[in-house]
Amino acid sequence: MNNPKTIIALIIAALALPLSIHAQAAPTWVQNLEQAYPSREWVAVTAQGTSQAQAENAAMNALAQAFKTNVASLTQSSQAFSQIVSEAAGKKSVAFDQSQNFSQDVNTTTNVRGLIGVQTDIYRAPDRTVYVNARMNRRESAARYSGMVRENTAIIDRLLADAVPITKAEIIISAFNSFEVYARLSFAHAIAQVTDNFHNILEVLDPTAANRRPGYGGANAIKAKMLECAALITIGIAVDTEQAADKTLFTRAAGSFFRDRGFKINEQGRGNYLLRANARFEALGQNVISCRYYLDSALEDQNGASLFSFTENDRKAHPNTVSEARRLAVRAVETSLKEGKFAREFDTWLNGLIE
């Protein structure tokens, strides 16, 4: 017969077993982050919260701050670069190899999109506090960023070389006042903005990188060249529509779009290029009070050849009057020219000028 004391001891041990399993000791990075991930080898942070989501958000914010930025800026930068890589597809002069899988390589398991090589660990304490560690290995991540900066710089240098000359005397002699040249400088500027951000991250991972900044001189230097080119281009605007007030409105909307990009505008229809636009409106008042608009436009060179064309039509409804429906349609045309569908398709055409 078994000893009763032995049986009681076994029962107590069995009851205590689940507690010992769940009472897992806190990892070193909770108590001593430097010991777990030495700062000479890692950029690491630890954050806590009442839930995993809260702790992860705090950790990602802290990691972003370690790179002297924030989650929103990192996300915006990575999305912008993903768009650039997408637009570069098929272009011989803008081929991304190191960066083509950037959108897949960034950390998509957390709120940070824009930091490559992020590793995370989670610890749930007995009091239900959640701890999250987020870190990047300096050597491994620096190698990735260095490769992208190097590749992007080579592409920027190629675009700038195609857009020479640079000096004002040469600009006047050359065909610098063309959309083809502006497109190269504009695309180079977009890549440079993201590359500047990459290099800032690289300098945190590897402080010696501060002595190896790209030779293009930063995005602002390229923007200055882009605006210098744009200032030599005058776009004439000729709008045909029924009402004089609408003509003025649409002329100013199109002018605002081009002026924001640095171009000069001539509202009398004279310039290096001519934008012709025709806007028509058709009132519809049977079952639904509405107004349909038709917008047709074309950008022509000095010889009258069409370089870019755009067509859009849609209907705007109003519950009360046709005049209000027409007002909404007029507003839609204005928006399209200034920042809507026309604006987007023109930018797509501009990027398409780069081979």
Side-chain angles (χ1 to χ4, degrees):
M1 184 174 181
N2 293 327
N3 189 323
K5 292 183 179 180
T6 302
I7 294 174
I8 293 172
L10 290 173
I11 292 173
I12 293 174
L15 291 173
L17 184 60
L19 295 176
S20 65
I21 291 175
H22 290 289
Q24 181 182 357
T28 304
W29 53 262
V30 173
Q31 305 296 334
N32 191 328
L33 182 61
E34 178 64 24
Q35 181 179 340
Y37 299 106
S39 55
R40 67 180 181 277
E41 298 175 6
W42 299 84
V43 176
V45 298
T46 296
Q48 65 185 69
T50 57
S51 67
Q52 181 173 330
Q54 185 184 66
E56 284 180 345
N57 287 338
M60 295 308 120
N61 280 313
L63 188 60
Q65 290 171 13
F67 288 96
K68 303 174 184 178
T69 185
N70 54 59
V71 171
S73 295
L74 286 170
T75 302
Q76 182 180 16
S77 180
S78 67
Q79 290 174 342
F81 190 55
S82 294
Q83 180 66 26
I84 289 170
V85 173
S86 176
E87 291 175 353
K91 299 182 187 297
K92 296 179 181 178
S93 61
V94 188
F96 292 97
D97 294 320
Q98 294 280 340
S99 309
Q100 63 182 349
N101 295 320
F102 174 80
S103 58
Q104 288 78 27
D105 289 343
V106 294
N107 186 29
T108 56
T109 61
T110 66
N111 290 330
V112 167
R113 288 179 49 84
L115 287 176
I116 295 174
V118 177
Q119 303 175 43
T120 58
D121 281 322
I122 301 171
Y123 168 68
R124 294 175 176 81
D127 64 358
R128 298 186 179 181
T129 300
V130 180
Y131 295 85
V132 172
N133 170 257
R135 61 193 181 277
M136 292 171 63
N137 182 275
R138 289 184 182 275
R139 181 178 58 80
E140 294 175 0
S141 298
R144 298 283 302 278
Y145 277 99
S146 180
M148 289 202 300
V149 168
R150 188 164 51 249
E151 178 179 79
N152 291 1
T153 299
I155 293 173
I156 291 170
D157 289 343
R158 193 176 309 127
L159 289 169
L160 293 179
D162 290 342
V164 295
I166 301 303
T167 68
K168 202 159 190 176
E170 290 173 320
I171 288 172
I172 295 173
I173 296 172
S174 74
F176 196 70
N177 57 342
S178 71
F179 278 121
E180 287 79 4
V181 173
Y182 177 86
R184 294 185 183 97
L185 293 172
S186 176
F187 206 66
H189 175 248
I191 299 173
Q193 285 182 301
V194 179
T195 306
D196 285 357
N197 291 334
F198 286 167
H199 203 275
N200 291 338
I201 292 172
L202 176 60
E203 287 184 17
V204 175
L205 293 165
D206 177 13
T208 66
N211 301 320
R212 303 189 302 274
R213 295 199 67 84
Y216 59 79
N220 287 338
I222 297 177
K223 184 177 182 179
K225 297 174 185 177
M226 180 183 73
L227 293 178
E228 189 173 7
C229 171
L232 296 172
I233 298 175
T234 299
I235 301 172
I237 300 176
V239 175
D240 182 21
T241 192
E242 353 178 284
Q243 297 185 12
D246 293 344
K247 179 178 180 179
T248 300
L249 183 68
F250 300 153
T251 300
R252 289 177 178 174
S256 175
F257 168 74
F258 288 112
R259 195 176 288 110
D260 286 346
R261 284 154 178 75
F263 301 112
K264 290 183 178 179
I265 302 302
N266 184 292
E267 295 185 356
Q268 282 69 51
R270 295 186 295 272
N272 308 87
Y273 298 91
L274 173 64
L275 177 71
R276 297 186 185 275
N278 178 275
R280 296 182 295 110
F281 301 89
E282 179 182 3
L284 306 170
Q286 296 179 351
N287 298 326
V288 178
I289 298 174
S290 63
C291 180
R292 181 170 291 279
Y293 67 86
Y294 303 85
L295 174 61
D296 301 291
S297 61
L299 181 72
E300 301 174 355
D301 64 14
Q302 290 180 312
N303 297 320
S306 178
L307 306 175
F308 164 75
S309 61
F310 171 80
T311 300
E312 179 182 11
N313 75 84
D314 198 0
R315 188 181 69 168
K316 296 297 178 182
H318 192 274
N320 298 324
T321 65
V322 172
S323 62
E324 283 299 306
R326 188 184 188 285
R327 184 184 63 80
L328 294 176
V330 168
R331 173 60 177 163
V333 172
E334 178 191 19
T335 300
S336 180
L337 289 169
K338 191 173 183 179
E339 58 189 5
K341 189 175 179 182
F342 169 86
R344 291 191 297 271
E345 290 198 12
F346 180 87
D347 284 341
T348 299
W349 169 78
L350 194 65
N351 286 334
L353 296 177
I354 304 171
E355 297 179 351

